[in-house]
Every structure is written in C-alpha cells, then in structure tokens.
Amino acid sequence: MKIQDIQAIKLLLATPKKIAIIPHRGPDGDAMGSTLALYHFLLKLQHEPVVIAPNEFPDFLAWLPGSETVKIFEKEIENCAQILQKADLIFTLDFNALHRVGDEMEKVLASLNQPFIMIDHHQKPDDYATHVYSDTAFGSTCEMIYNFISFLDLKEAIDVTIGTCIYTGILTDSGSFKFPGTTGNTHRIVAELIDLGVPNTQIPSLLFDNSSYSRLQLLGRALQNMKVLEEHKTSYTTLTQEELDSFHYVKGDTEGIVNYGLSIKGIHLTAIFIENKDEKIIKISFRSQGDFDVNQFAREHFNGGGHRNAAGGKSTDSMEKTIQKFESIVTQLTYTEHES
C-alpha cells in the first residue's frame, strides 16, 4: 500500500466517523471475514461502523462475531441507502468494481461523494476509490486486512474476535491453505492468530461440518450430473432450478461443489453451472490448477472474472445453450493453452 494512502487514511481515522463497510454480492467467507474484522477494529477506534451486505450471506457464516449486526441492502433498501448517504467514509472489501454489489446498490454507491477505500485482491480494479490497497499476490482480502491494520501501526488492536474473522477468510479463500496464493507469510500470520487464541480447530468444523441432509443430497446430485471431457482435461457439472428446489436449496448449499471437479486425476479445468430463474441467469464458477487462467477465460467468454485459478461468470442463455457454448470453447483449446 502506498505511503501517502496510509498517511491519508490515518488522518481520516483520527476522529470518530460514521463508516460503511461493504462486501460483494453473494458474500463468501473472505468477504464476511474481512468486513467483520474491519468492523470490530473500527469499533475499537471509537468509530460508528456498519456492515451492509448487498444480499444475504450463507447460514454457515452466521456464527461469525458481529454477523447479527450486518444489514442486508436488498431487504431494507431505503434504510441502507440513508446509512450510506450519511456515512463519512466507505470501505469496499473483496471486490474492485461497483457492479459486484448489484444494480440497485451500485446506483446508490455511484451517487455518493464520500471518500471510498478499496481493499481487494482481484485483477483489474476500477477507479472509483479514493484510496486503494489492491494486490493480486494475496490469497485473501483477510490477509490484506491484517496488513492494513499493521500499516496503521495498530497491530496490537487485533484481538481474538478480529483474529477469528481474519482466520476465517484466510482459511476459506485459500481452500484450506491449498491454493497458490498461500505463502509462508500467510502461515506466519495464521500462527500469530493461533498464538493469540483464535480457535483454529473449531473454525473448520463451524464452516465445513454443519451441512444439512438436503445439502448432502444436492451434492450427490451435482456429482451424478458431472461430465468429463477427458481429451480436454476438463470436467463440469450442472444444477437446474428444479433440482435446487427439489433438495430445498438455501444460500450456501452449493459452496465448494465446484472443487470436486478438480479432484479427478488429469483434470486441469472444471466448472459448475447453476440455474437461477429469479435472476434469469446461469451462474458459473470456474476452477483450474496449474497455469490455466480462468480469470481470463471468464472475462473473455462469460462476462466474469476473478483470480487465475478461481473465477466466476454468468450466462443469460438457457442451461443447454450455455453448456453447448462452454463445450465448444473448451474443445477448441489446445493442450498448450491448458498447461501454459
């Protein structure tokens, strides 16, 4: 982070302020972990922070400290818009383009004149923020929040509550420390958090060992639907709206299913296509291993983006046409493109 930005932010935070903290739409563990870590940190500095999520976050994150204070924009649009308009300062975490919050919330944010601070690890940030901490080298925004607090010379403010939120985001966005963004420094931060008293053995259970029977059935259906294009080192699966409904889908139930496609020997690229009839889209998640860039793939073909090995996209075509398009693109890729 640039020294001038750090100094400017220190001045902004020198006196109590009303501060809005915003994650991306469909917030995951890193988005909620980073926003709530910052929320608790700013509380300690005597500010008035509020986390405003564009829409509901998954139930398996509801145990995070402070989650009960989070306001949901799409549930109380007028109230949240007023909070944003009255805020002195706005943080946007784990995203770098305002369209990631959804159309209605984007309109409100785009109309504001307050300073924005962006903290994010995705590629190609937009230029809406006054102060920017953007670095794709990090595996999670939560790791950047730890650094951000350190840049302000306030690392001693990190307690078990803040540390728990940070640990959660690092754990989830690193794929339990498996993804390439995991570095020695990531583990050093985690070690500090554990020494601080963060319950590192309990957090994975809270995140991953609380599935409903319906969710496991839905996973089974997704695995049954999986297709393998062996010649092209690709796998993919689908879930229709009818299938989601038949297994009583709730938000968060499809989290992590896409990763199963990479567990097949020889597979370099995988995807999951999930139908959402309310939004009239097919939501897509891509994963890869090695040097195949799914961020570029999603940007070029499916109106999305993300990281080199983990990205998302969407399609307004039917499920059938979307799959046809995906297979057509994949079958034109050369092995070199998969491996380089």
Side-chain angles (χ1 to χ4, degrees):
M1 193 173 190
K2 294 179 181 178
I3 293 175
Q4 56 265 41
D5 284 317
I6 296 170
Q7 292 173 338
I9 293 169
K10 282 183 176 180
L11 285 175
L12 284 171
L13 298 179
T15 55
K17 287 181 171 57
K18 294 179 179 178
I19 301 176
I21 310 168
I22 303 168
H24 56 74
R25 185 174 177 81
D28 55 10
D30 192 30
M32 294 308 299
S34 58
T35 52
L36 287 169
L38 184 62
Y39 166 82
H40 290 292
F41 170 70
L42 293 173
L43 274 180
K44 292 186 87 169
L45 299 187
Q46 308 304 313
H47 295 290
E48 296 179 47
V50 58
V51 176
I52 304 178
N55 61 345
E56 289 276 12
F57 53 90
D59 183 64
F60 65 81
L61 296 172
W63 60 271
L64 280 168
S67 64
E68 72 283 355
T69 69
V70 175
K71 296 191 177 299
I72 307 300
F73 183 87
E74 69 176 20
K75 282 190 169 183
E76 40 182 330
I77 294 175
E78 187 175 339
N79 180 42
C80 288
Q82 289 179 357
I83 292 171
L84 290 168
Q85 289 158 2
K86 293 177 181 178
D88 301 307
L89 180 62
I90 296 170
F91 280 87
T92 62
L93 305 188
D94 202 36
F95 70 97
N96 59 16
L98 293 182
H99 68 82
R100 292 290 312 280
V101 300
D103 293 343
E104 287 298 316
M105 194 172 186
E106 179 184 5
K107 289 176 187 176
V108 176
L109 293 178
S111 71
L112 302 179
N113 295 316
Q114 297 96 316
F116 278 70
I117 298 174
M118 175 203 301
I119 303 177
D120 178 67
H121 64 137
H122 296 87
Q123 297 184 17
K124 299 182 179 179
D126 284 356
D127 61 357
Y128 64 84
T130 313
H131 305 291
V132 175
Y133 180 24
S134 174
D135 194 333
T136 59
F138 288 99
S140 69
T141 298
C142 272
E143 186 171 343
M144 299 176 74
I145 287 292
Y146 173 93
N147 289 340
F148 175 73
I149 294 172
S150 300
F151 294 154
L152 299 178
D153 299 317
L154 291 169
K155 195 170 82 168
E156 69 278 2
I158 298 176
D159 55 19
V160 171
T161 298
I162 296 170
T164 293
C165 296
I166 292 174
Y167 184 94
T168 298
I170 292 176
L171 179 69
T172 54
D173 241 32
S174 69
S176 297
F177 310 110
K178 292 187 298 187
F179 294 161
T182 305
T183 64
N185 202 49
T186 306
H187 284 290
R188 280 184 280 273
I189 291 171
V190 165
E192 285 188 26
L193 298 178
I194 293 171
D195 289 343
L196 194 64
V198 168
N200 63 299
T201 59
Q202 296 176 25
I203 292 173
S205 292
L206 290 166
L207 290 170
F208 309 127
D209 298 336
N210 61 358
S211 295
S212 66
Y213 178 61
S214 295
R215 182 181 186 275
L216 293 181
Q217 288 185 307
L218 183 64
L219 169 61
R221 177 54 56 86
L223 295 178
Q224 286 181 321
N225 291 347
M226 189 170 289
K227 307 292 183 186
V228 176
L229 308 177
E230 193 170 348
E231 288 183 44
H232 304 283
K233 303 182 179 180
T234 297
S235 67
Y236 70 86
T237 192
T238 61
L239 285 170
T240 65
Q241 187 69 62
E242 183 179 357
E243 288 171 320
L244 294 172
D245 293 343
S246 68
F247 292 109
H248 312 292
Y249 167 80
V250 296
K251 192 169 187 65
D253 277 356
T254 58
E255 190 82 18
I257 292 179
V258 65
N259 297 316
Y260 283 87
L262 281 185
S263 67
I264 302 170
K265 185 177 180 180
I267 296 300
H268 289 189
L269 167 66
T270 194
I272 187 170
F273 300 84
I274 302 172
E275 185 177 26
N276 186 321
K277 283 198 171 178
D278 287 341
E279 296 184 19
K280 298 180 180 178
I281 63 170
I282 305 297
K283 182 182 176 184
I284 314 168
S285 292
F286 300 102
R287 296 292 184 270
S288 68
Q289 52 190 358
D291 292 330
F292 185 71
D293 190 344
V294 288
N295 170 63
Q296 182 179 342
F297 183 85
R299 284 178 180 272
E300 289 181 358
H301 303 295
F302 291 99
N303 193 31
H307 304 287
R308 174 176 287 274
N309 295 116
K314 63 182 178 180
S315 169
T316 55
D317 290 330
S318 67
M319 179 71 81
E320 183 180 6
K321 286 185 178 180
T322 301
I323 294 301
Q324 288 174 349
K325 176 181 177 180
F326 176 73
E327 286 196 357
S328 175
I329 296 165
V330 167
T331 54
Q332 293 176 46
L333 294 173
T334 65
Y335 290 116
T336 303
E337 286 177 295
H338 274 278
E339 296 168 355
S340 65

